[in-house]
Amino acid sequence: MPAASDTTSLYALMSRLSRHPAFLGALIGIVAAFSQALLISAGGPEAYGFCVACHTRDLVNGLSNIIAGTSLALAPLSKNAILPVMSVVGVMIGAFLSAKVHKEHKIRKTDYQEYLIYFIGGFVVLQLAMIFGGCPYRAALRTGYGDITALLFIITMALGVIVGTLLMLRQAEKEIN
Amino acid sequence: MATGILTKEVAIYAVPLVTLLIGILIGYLAQRSGYCSIGGFRDYVLFRHTRLLSGYVTLIIASFFGYLLFWFLTPAAMEHFFWAFTSDPLTPVPGAPAGLLPGAYLIFAAIPGFFVGLICVLLGGCPIRQTVMASEGSYKAAFFFVGMCVGSVIFAAFVSGWVVVLMRAIGLGA
């Protein structure tokens, strides 16, 4: 039965593709450009199709402005629209659905000290990302858009990761000895 | 003023809907592939694994070709593509605190970049990986996200002003 095996192999191919990071990388790049082409009339900035840090900022500050009547700063795109950008909510819904469907959803609790470290980590990472004007994803989009400062951000980020990895390695060696 | 495919009257309604759909698609695939930009560099340094790193490198290349494609299709929406040729090459695409000299933006890129890399690798993932892990049921990643939410209010209220004052104090204000 060629037809059936064709569908099976197509399904297997899609399944393998969906699990490869490069597929998602290509998809985010194209979709971010498409979303700018579609929505830029509502307001800037450019190269703003997908960014976890900025879109979280827009979501929180935008909802706070609507609900509590504050006037916190956010991107013009979210300011002009009826609701701020919702991509972070989408990421949460999508990841939750995927984890449920593939039975990978599992509640993992740790101690309060670690919660505090992660809370402070998230807080500091957002400040740093906002000073630059984007998380690693918007940095990649801005690099593709032709922004040299974003390329500098990626290079120093790679340096930071190398230093952090070496620190982790040294820590692990200490624990073994 | 840049104009996209949708007019402004339609686009202001489309923004939350379109970004929500894009987010669901990205979130689903990010959970499937374990997508992480910081993790890509980490795995390469530790094990010479290129799987995750290929995702981030593909993103940079694909975004260039994506913007190039839509620059051909809808030139009015891609007003400043390719930024380094249409604007002052050392100024960033808007998003960071405005009204400073190019030197300030180089500092804004270099120092936060290093510490974002350092902190994220020690916490085991970049912002999208933490968001995905929070949806998978990790409490600590959820606290990372809560920290980002609190941080965004504090940034808009205080920190964005402080960094501009700091840059003006060292002579980099425009």
PDB file of all heavy atoms in Angstrom, chain A residues 88-117:
ATOM      1  N   VAL A  88       3.734  35.715  24.667  1.00  0.00           N
ATOM      2  CA  VAL A  88       4.224  34.943  25.810  1.00  0.00           C
ATOM      3  C   VAL A  88       3.106  34.055  26.366  1.00  0.00           C
ATOM      4  O   VAL A  88       3.339  32.894  26.735  1.00  0.00           O
ATOM      5  CB  VAL A  88       4.782  35.878  26.894  1.00  0.00           C
ATOM      6  CG1 VAL A  88       5.308  35.084  28.066  1.00  0.00           C
ATOM      7  CG2 VAL A  88       5.885  36.722  26.330  1.00  0.00           C
ATOM      8  N   VAL A  89       1.872  34.598  26.377  1.00  0.00           N
ATOM      9  CA  VAL A  89       0.730  33.768  26.770  1.00  0.00           C
ATOM     10  C   VAL A  89       0.611  32.588  25.819  1.00  0.00           C
ATOM     11  O   VAL A  89       0.379  31.447  26.234  1.00  0.00           O
ATOM     12  CB  VAL A  89      -0.568  34.602  26.761  1.00  0.00           C
ATOM     13  CG1 VAL A  89      -1.757  33.766  27.164  1.00  0.00           C
ATOM     14  CG2 VAL A  89      -0.436  35.812  27.649  1.00  0.00           C
ATOM     15  N   GLY A  90       0.806  32.868  24.519  1.00  0.00           N
ATOM     16  CA  GLY A  90       0.752  31.812  23.513  1.00  0.00           C
ATOM     17  C   GLY A  90       1.804  30.756  23.751  1.00  0.00           C
ATOM     18  O   GLY A  90       1.518  29.558  23.673  1.00  0.00           O
ATOM     19  N   VAL A  91       3.033  31.177  24.054  1.00  0.00           N
ATOM     20  CA  VAL A  91       4.110  30.216  24.315  1.00  0.00           C
ATOM     21  C   VAL A  91       3.723  29.312  25.478  1.00  0.00           C
ATOM     22  O   VAL A  91       3.910  28.084  25.428  1.00  0.00           O
ATOM     23  CB  VAL A  91       5.440  30.954  24.606  1.00  0.00           C
ATOM     24  CG1 VAL A  91       6.476  30.004  25.182  1.00  0.00           C
ATOM     25  CG2 VAL A  91       5.977  31.585  23.346  1.00  0.00           C
ATOM     26  N   MET A  92       3.139  29.914  26.518  1.00  0.00           N
ATOM     27  CA  MET A  92       2.750  29.105  27.685  1.00  0.00           C
ATOM     28  C   MET A  92       1.665  28.108  27.314  1.00  0.00           C
ATOM     29  O   MET A  92       1.740  26.935  27.690  1.00  0.00           O
ATOM     30  CB  MET A  92       2.268  30.022  28.796  1.00  0.00           C
ATOM     31  CG  MET A  92       3.398  30.810  29.406  1.00  0.00           C
ATOM     32  SD  MET A  92       2.931  31.452  30.985  1.00  0.00           S
ATOM     33  CE  MET A  92       4.477  31.336  31.844  1.00  0.00           C
ATOM     34  N   ILE A  93       0.654  28.572  26.563  1.00  0.00           N
ATOM     35  CA  ILE A  93      -0.434  27.667  26.165  1.00  0.00           C
ATOM     36  C   ILE A  93       0.119  26.559  25.286  1.00  0.00           C
ATOM     37  O   ILE A  93      -0.162  25.372  25.502  1.00  0.00           O
ATOM     38  CB  ILE A  93      -1.541  28.450  25.432  1.00  0.00           C
ATOM     39  CG1 ILE A  93      -2.189  29.471  26.374  1.00  0.00           C
ATOM     40  CG2 ILE A  93      -2.589  27.498  24.876  1.00  0.00           C
ATOM     41  CD1 ILE A  93      -3.144  30.410  25.671  1.00  0.00           C
ATOM     42  N   GLY A  94       0.926  26.933  24.283  1.00  0.00           N
ATOM     43  CA  GLY A  94       1.468  25.947  23.356  1.00  0.00           C
ATOM     44  C   GLY A  94       2.330  24.913  24.058  1.00  0.00           C
ATOM     45  O   GLY A  94       2.189  23.708  23.826  1.00  0.00           O
ATOM     46  N   ALA A  95       3.213  25.388  24.946  1.00  0.00           N
ATOM     47  CA  ALA A  95       4.105  24.461  25.644  1.00  0.00           C
ATOM     48  C   ALA A  95       3.312  23.561  26.593  1.00  0.00           C
ATOM     49  O   ALA A  95       3.606  22.368  26.720  1.00  0.00           O
ATOM     50  CB  ALA A  95       5.157  25.242  26.423  1.00  0.00           C
ATOM     51  N   PHE A  96       2.270  24.127  27.228  1.00  0.00           N
ATOM     52  CA  PHE A  96       1.451  23.327  28.138  1.00  0.00           C
ATOM     53  C   PHE A  96       0.702  22.240  27.365  1.00  0.00           C
ATOM     54  O   PHE A  96       0.694  21.073  27.772  1.00  0.00           O
ATOM     55  CB  PHE A  96       0.462  24.238  28.875  1.00  0.00           C
ATOM     56  CG  PHE A  96      -0.440  23.512  29.819  1.00  0.00           C
ATOM     57  CD1 PHE A  96       0.056  23.059  31.030  1.00  0.00           C
ATOM     58  CD2 PHE A  96      -1.763  23.265  29.497  1.00  0.00           C
ATOM     59  CE1 PHE A  96      -0.767  22.375  31.908  1.00  0.00           C
ATOM     60  CE2 PHE A  96      -2.585  22.579  30.366  1.00  0.00           C
ATOM     61  CZ  PHE A  96      -2.083  22.133  31.580  1.00  0.00           C
ATOM     62  N   LEU A  97       0.091  22.619  26.226  1.00  0.00           N
ATOM     63  CA  LEU A  97      -0.623  21.633  25.400  1.00  0.00           C
ATOM     64  C   LEU A  97       0.316  20.524  24.957  1.00  0.00           C
ATOM     65  O   LEU A  97       0.009  19.335  25.084  1.00  0.00           O
ATOM     66  CB  LEU A  97      -1.202  22.317  24.159  1.00  0.00           C
ATOM     67  CG  LEU A  97      -2.459  23.162  24.355  1.00  0.00           C
ATOM     68  CD1 LEU A  97      -2.846  23.792  23.030  1.00  0.00           C
ATOM     69  CD2 LEU A  97      -3.590  22.297  24.883  1.00  0.00           C
ATOM     70  N   SER A  98       1.497  20.922  24.463  1.00  0.00           N
ATOM     71  CA  SER A  98       2.461  19.940  23.977  1.00  0.00           C
ATOM     72  C   SER A  98       2.902  19.007  25.099  1.00  0.00           C
ATOM     73  O   SER A  98       2.978  17.784  24.919  1.00  0.00           O
ATOM     74  CB  SER A  98       3.656  20.669  23.383  1.00  0.00           C
ATOM     75  OG  SER A  98       4.666  19.762  23.060  1.00  0.00           O
ATOM     76  N   ALA A  99       3.172  19.584  26.275  1.00  0.00           N
ATOM     77  CA  ALA A  99       3.603  18.754  27.401  1.00  0.00           C
ATOM     78  C   ALA A  99       2.502  17.797  27.819  1.00  0.00           C
ATOM     79  O   ALA A  99       2.759  16.637  28.167  1.00  0.00           O
ATOM     80  CB  ALA A  99       4.015  19.649  28.572  1.00  0.00           C
ATOM     81  N   LYS A 100       1.244  18.259  27.790  1.00  0.00           N
ATOM     82  CA  LYS A 100       0.113  17.394  28.158  1.00  0.00           C
ATOM     83  C   LYS A 100      -0.069  16.275  27.137  1.00  0.00           C
ATOM     84  O   LYS A 100      -0.233  15.105  27.497  1.00  0.00           O
ATOM     85  CB  LYS A 100      -1.175  18.226  28.256  1.00  0.00           C
ATOM     86  CG  LYS A 100      -1.378  18.900  29.595  1.00  0.00           C
ATOM     87  CD  LYS A 100      -1.744  17.873  30.652  1.00  0.00           C
ATOM     88  CE  LYS A 100      -1.887  18.554  32.008  1.00  0.00           C
ATOM     89  NZ  LYS A 100      -1.837  17.616  33.128  1.00  0.00           N
ATOM     90  N   VAL A 101      -0.056  16.657  25.839  1.00  0.00           N
ATOM     91  CA  VAL A 101      -0.294  15.679  24.772  1.00  0.00           C
ATOM     92  C   VAL A 101       0.772  14.594  24.806  1.00  0.00           C
ATOM     93  O   VAL A 101       0.477  13.406  24.654  1.00  0.00           O
ATOM     94  CB  VAL A 101      -0.313  16.390  23.398  1.00  0.00           C
ATOM     95  CG1 VAL A 101      -0.224  15.393  22.260  1.00  0.00           C
ATOM     96  CG2 VAL A 101      -1.554  17.242  23.261  1.00  0.00           C
ATOM     97  N   HIS A 102       2.034  14.992  25.032  1.00  0.00           N
ATOM     98  CA  HIS A 102       3.127  14.019  25.004  1.00  0.00           C
ATOM     99  C   HIS A 102       3.470  13.488  26.389  1.00  0.00           C
ATOM    100  O   HIS A 102       4.525  12.903  26.579  1.00  0.00           O
ATOM    101  CB  HIS A 102       4.353  14.643  24.342  1.00  0.00           C
ATOM    102  CG  HIS A 102       4.092  15.042  22.921  1.00  0.00           C
ATOM    103  ND1 HIS A 102       3.726  16.315  22.561  1.00  0.00           N
ATOM    104  CD2 HIS A 102       4.104  14.321  21.777  1.00  0.00           C
ATOM    105  CE1 HIS A 102       3.547  16.357  21.258  1.00  0.00           C
ATOM    106  NE2 HIS A 102       3.765  15.171  20.754  1.00  0.00           N
ATOM    107  N   LYS A 103       2.594  13.748  27.355  1.00  0.00           N
ATOM    108  CA  LYS A 103       2.736  13.220  28.725  1.00  0.00           C
ATOM    109  C   LYS A 103       4.082  13.589  29.346  1.00  0.00           C
ATOM    110  O   LYS A 103       4.741  12.774  29.983  1.00  0.00           O
ATOM    111  CB  LYS A 103       2.539  11.700  28.732  1.00  0.00           C
ATOM    112  CG  LYS A 103       1.176  11.282  28.222  1.00  0.00           C
ATOM    113  CD  LYS A 103       0.813   9.877  28.616  1.00  0.00           C
ATOM    114  CE  LYS A 103      -0.651   9.576  28.366  1.00  0.00           C
ATOM    115  NZ  LYS A 103      -1.175  10.092  27.068  1.00  0.00           N
ATOM    116  N   GLU A 104       4.489  14.842  29.120  1.00  0.00           N
ATOM    117  CA  GLU A 104       5.734  15.302  29.719  1.00  0.00           C
ATOM    118  C   GLU A 104       5.475  16.333  30.805  1.00  0.00           C
ATOM    119  O   GLU A 104       6.413  16.919  31.346  1.00  0.00           O
ATOM    120  CB  GLU A 104       6.654  15.890  28.639  1.00  0.00           C
ATOM    121  CG  GLU A 104       7.285  14.818  27.759  1.00  0.00           C
ATOM    122  CD  GLU A 104       7.985  15.397  26.546  1.00  0.00           C
ATOM    123  OE1 GLU A 104       8.064  16.616  26.420  1.00  0.00           O
ATOM    124  OE2 GLU A 104       8.433  14.587  25.704  1.00  0.00           O
ATOM    125  N   HIS A 105       4.193  16.579  31.095  1.00  0.00           N
ATOM    126  CA  HIS A 105       3.877  17.563  32.130  1.00  0.00           C
ATOM    127  C   HIS A 105       4.025  16.917  33.497  1.00  0.00           C
ATOM    128  O   HIS A 105       3.440  15.885  33.778  1.00  0.00           O
ATOM    129  CB  HIS A 105       2.450  18.082  31.957  1.00  0.00           C
ATOM    130  CG  HIS A 105       2.133  19.209  32.884  1.00  0.00           C
ATOM    131  ND1 HIS A 105       1.630  19.011  34.138  1.00  0.00           N
ATOM    132  CD2 HIS A 105       2.283  20.542  32.738  1.00  0.00           C
ATOM    133  CE1 HIS A 105       1.480  20.182  34.734  1.00  0.00           C
ATOM    134  NE2 HIS A 105       1.857  21.126  33.902  1.00  0.00           N
ATOM    135  N   LYS A 106       4.879  17.535  34.328  1.00  0.00           N
ATOM    136  CA  LYS A 106       5.156  16.946  35.638  1.00  0.00           C
ATOM    137  C   LYS A 106       5.469  18.082  36.599  1.00  0.00           C
ATOM    138  O   LYS A 106       6.342  18.905  36.329  1.00  0.00           O
ATOM    139  CB  LYS A 106       6.364  16.008  35.516  1.00  0.00           C
ATOM    140  CG  LYS A 106       6.635  15.184  36.749  1.00  0.00           C
ATOM    141  CD  LYS A 106       7.549  14.010  36.388  1.00  0.00           C
ATOM    142  CE  LYS A 106       8.029  13.288  37.616  1.00  0.00           C
ATOM    143  NZ  LYS A 106       9.162  13.952  38.271  1.00  0.00           N
ATOM    144  N   ILE A 107       4.733  18.126  37.715  1.00  0.00           N
ATOM    145  CA  ILE A 107       4.993  19.177  38.710  1.00  0.00           C
ATOM    146  C   ILE A 107       6.308  18.871  39.407  1.00  0.00           C
ATOM    147  O   ILE A 107       6.501  17.769  39.921  1.00  0.00           O
ATOM    148  CB  ILE A 107       3.849  19.231  39.745  1.00  0.00           C
ATOM    149  CG1 ILE A 107       2.532  19.580  39.063  1.00  0.00           C
ATOM    150  CG2 ILE A 107       4.182  20.213  40.861  1.00  0.00           C
ATOM    151  CD1 ILE A 107       2.448  20.992  38.549  1.00  0.00           C
ATOM    152  N   ARG A 108       7.239  19.824  39.369  1.00  0.00           N
ATOM    153  CA  ARG A 108       8.542  19.646  40.019  1.00  0.00           C
ATOM    154  C   ARG A 108       8.757  20.778  41.012  1.00  0.00           C
ATOM    155  O   ARG A 108       8.917  21.932  40.616  1.00  0.00           O
ATOM    156  CB  ARG A 108       9.653  19.628  38.973  1.00  0.00           C
ATOM    157  CG  ARG A 108       9.770  18.294  38.251  1.00  0.00           C
ATOM    158  CD  ARG A 108      10.972  18.302  37.325  1.00  0.00           C
ATOM    159  NE  ARG A 108      10.813  19.338  36.303  1.00  0.00           N
ATOM    160  CZ  ARG A 108      10.265  19.113  35.116  1.00  0.00           C
ATOM    161  NH1 ARG A 108       9.863  17.925  34.798  1.00  0.00           N
ATOM    162  NH2 ARG A 108      10.137  20.094  34.246  1.00  0.00           N
ATOM    163  N   LYS A 109       8.718  20.425  42.290  1.00  0.00           N
ATOM    164  CA  LYS A 109       8.941  21.433  43.335  1.00  0.00           C
ATOM    165  C   LYS A 109      10.350  21.313  43.877  1.00  0.00           C
ATOM    166  O   LYS A 109      10.924  20.231  43.901  1.00  0.00           O
ATOM    167  CB  LYS A 109       7.946  21.226  44.480  1.00  0.00           C
ATOM    168  CG  LYS A 109       6.503  21.454  44.067  1.00  0.00           C
ATOM    169  CD  LYS A 109       5.577  21.306  45.247  1.00  0.00           C
ATOM    170  CE  LYS A 109       4.143  21.447  44.801  1.00  0.00           C
ATOM    171  NZ  LYS A 109       3.188  21.293  45.892  1.00  0.00           N
ATOM    172  N   THR A 110      10.895  22.453  44.294  1.00  0.00           N
ATOM    173  CA  THR A 110      12.186  22.432  45.001  1.00  0.00           C
ATOM    174  C   THR A 110      12.023  23.277  46.258  1.00  0.00           C
ATOM    175  O   THR A 110      10.901  23.560  46.672  1.00  0.00           O
ATOM    176  CB  THR A 110      13.326  22.965  44.115  1.00  0.00           C
ATOM    177  OG1 THR A 110      12.829  24.074  43.385  1.00  0.00           O
ATOM    178  CG2 THR A 110      13.816  21.926  43.154  1.00  0.00           C
ATOM    179  N   ASP A 111      13.159  23.715  46.843  1.00  0.00           N
ATOM    180  CA  ASP A 111      13.023  24.453  48.104  1.00  0.00           C
ATOM    181  C   ASP A 111      12.917  25.961  47.875  1.00  0.00           C
ATOM    182  O   ASP A 111      13.162  26.465  46.793  1.00  0.00           O
ATOM    183  CB  ASP A 111      14.177  24.115  49.054  1.00  0.00           C
ATOM    184  CG  ASP A 111      15.516  24.312  48.380  1.00  0.00           C
ATOM    185  OD1 ASP A 111      15.564  25.111  47.430  1.00  0.00           O
ATOM    186  OD2 ASP A 111      16.497  23.668  48.787  1.00  0.00           O
ATOM    187  N   TYR A 112      12.566  26.688  48.951  1.00  0.00           N
ATOM    188  CA  TYR A 112      12.300  28.122  48.836  1.00  0.00           C
ATOM    189  C   TYR A 112      13.537  28.912  48.444  1.00  0.00           C
ATOM    190  O   TYR A 112      13.440  29.934  47.765  1.00  0.00           O
ATOM    191  CB  TYR A 112      11.715  28.651  50.148  1.00  0.00           C
ATOM    192  CG  TYR A 112      10.304  28.179  50.354  1.00  0.00           C
ATOM    193  CD1 TYR A 112       9.999  27.173  51.257  1.00  0.00           C
ATOM    194  CD2 TYR A 112       9.271  28.740  49.598  1.00  0.00           C
ATOM    195  CE1 TYR A 112       8.704  26.726  51.413  1.00  0.00           C
ATOM    196  CE2 TYR A 112       7.973  28.303  49.752  1.00  0.00           C
ATOM    197  CZ  TYR A 112       7.687  27.293  50.666  1.00  0.00           C
ATOM    198  OH  TYR A 112       6.414  26.857  50.801  1.00  0.00           O
ATOM    199  N   GLN A 113      14.711  28.441  48.894  1.00  0.00           N
ATOM    200  CA  GLN A 113      15.939  29.146  48.562  1.00  0.00           C
ATOM    201  C   GLN A 113      16.141  29.202  47.043  1.00  0.00           C
ATOM    202  O   GLN A 113      16.486  30.231  46.477  1.00  0.00           O
ATOM    203  CB  GLN A 113      17.115  28.430  49.231  1.00  0.00           C
ATOM    204  CG  GLN A 113      18.353  29.284  49.311  1.00  0.00           C
ATOM    205  CD  GLN A 113      19.556  28.486  49.776  1.00  0.00           C
ATOM    206  OE1 GLN A 113      19.428  27.337  50.200  1.00  0.00           O
ATOM    207  NE2 GLN A 113      20.704  29.081  49.679  1.00  0.00           N
ATOM    208  N   GLU A 114      15.862  28.062  46.396  1.00  0.00           N
ATOM    209  CA  GLU A 114      16.028  28.017  44.947  1.00  0.00           C
ATOM    210  C   GLU A 114      14.992  28.897  44.245  1.00  0.00           C
ATOM    211  O   GLU A 114      15.309  29.560  43.256  1.00  0.00           O
ATOM    212  CB  GLU A 114      15.909  26.570  44.463  1.00  0.00           C
ATOM    213  CG  GLU A 114      16.454  26.398  43.079  1.00  0.00           C
ATOM    214  CD  GLU A 114      16.971  24.997  42.829  1.00  0.00           C
ATOM    215  OE1 GLU A 114      16.582  24.058  43.562  1.00  0.00           O
ATOM    216  OE2 GLU A 114      17.754  24.837  41.905  1.00  0.00           O
ATOM    217  N   TYR A 115      13.747  28.929  44.783  1.00  0.00           N
ATOM    218  CA  TYR A 115      12.728  29.817  44.212  1.00  0.00           C
ATOM    219  C   TYR A 115      13.199  31.261  44.265  1.00  0.00           C
ATOM    220  O   TYR A 115      13.037  32.010  43.305  1.00  0.00           O
ATOM    221  CB  TYR A 115      11.405  29.698  44.978  1.00  0.00           C
ATOM    222  CG  TYR A 115      10.730  28.362  44.855  1.00  0.00           C
ATOM    223  CD1 TYR A 115       9.816  27.928  45.810  1.00  0.00           C
ATOM    224  CD2 TYR A 115      10.994  27.543  43.767  1.00  0.00           C
ATOM    225  CE1 TYR A 115       9.189  26.714  45.698  1.00  0.00           C
ATOM    226  CE2 TYR A 115      10.375  26.310  43.656  1.00  0.00           C
ATOM    227  CZ  TYR A 115       9.478  25.896  44.624  1.00  0.00           C
ATOM    228  OH  TYR A 115       8.869  24.699  44.509  1.00  0.00           O
ATOM    229  N   LEU A 116      13.806  31.642  45.394  1.00  0.00           N
ATOM    230  CA  LEU A 116      14.271  33.021  45.554  1.00  0.00           C
ATOM    231  C   LEU A 116      15.375  33.325  44.528  1.00  0.00           C
ATOM    232  O   LEU A 116      15.364  34.381  43.890  1.00  0.00           O
ATOM    233  CB  LEU A 116      14.787  33.235  46.979  1.00  0.00           C
ATOM    234  CG  LEU A 116      15.189  34.669  47.304  1.00  0.00           C
ATOM    235  CD1 LEU A 116      13.984  35.594  47.268  1.00  0.00           C
ATOM    236  CD2 LEU A 116      15.867  34.751  48.654  1.00  0.00           C
ATOM    237  N   ILE A 117      16.301  32.354  44.349  1.00  0.00           N
ATOM    238  CA  ILE A 117      17.387  32.559  43.378  1.00  0.00           C
ATOM    239  C   ILE A 117      16.821  32.737  41.980  1.00  0.00           C
ATOM    240  O   ILE A 117      17.220  33.637  41.240  1.00  0.00           O
ATOM    241  CB  ILE A 117      18.370  31.368  43.425  1.00  0.00           C
ATOM    242  CG1 ILE A 117      19.130  31.371  44.753  1.00  0.00           C
ATOM    243  CG2 ILE A 117      19.344  31.424  42.260  1.00  0.00           C
ATOM    244  CD1 ILE A 117      19.942  30.126  44.996  1.00  0.00           C
TER     245      ILE A 117
END
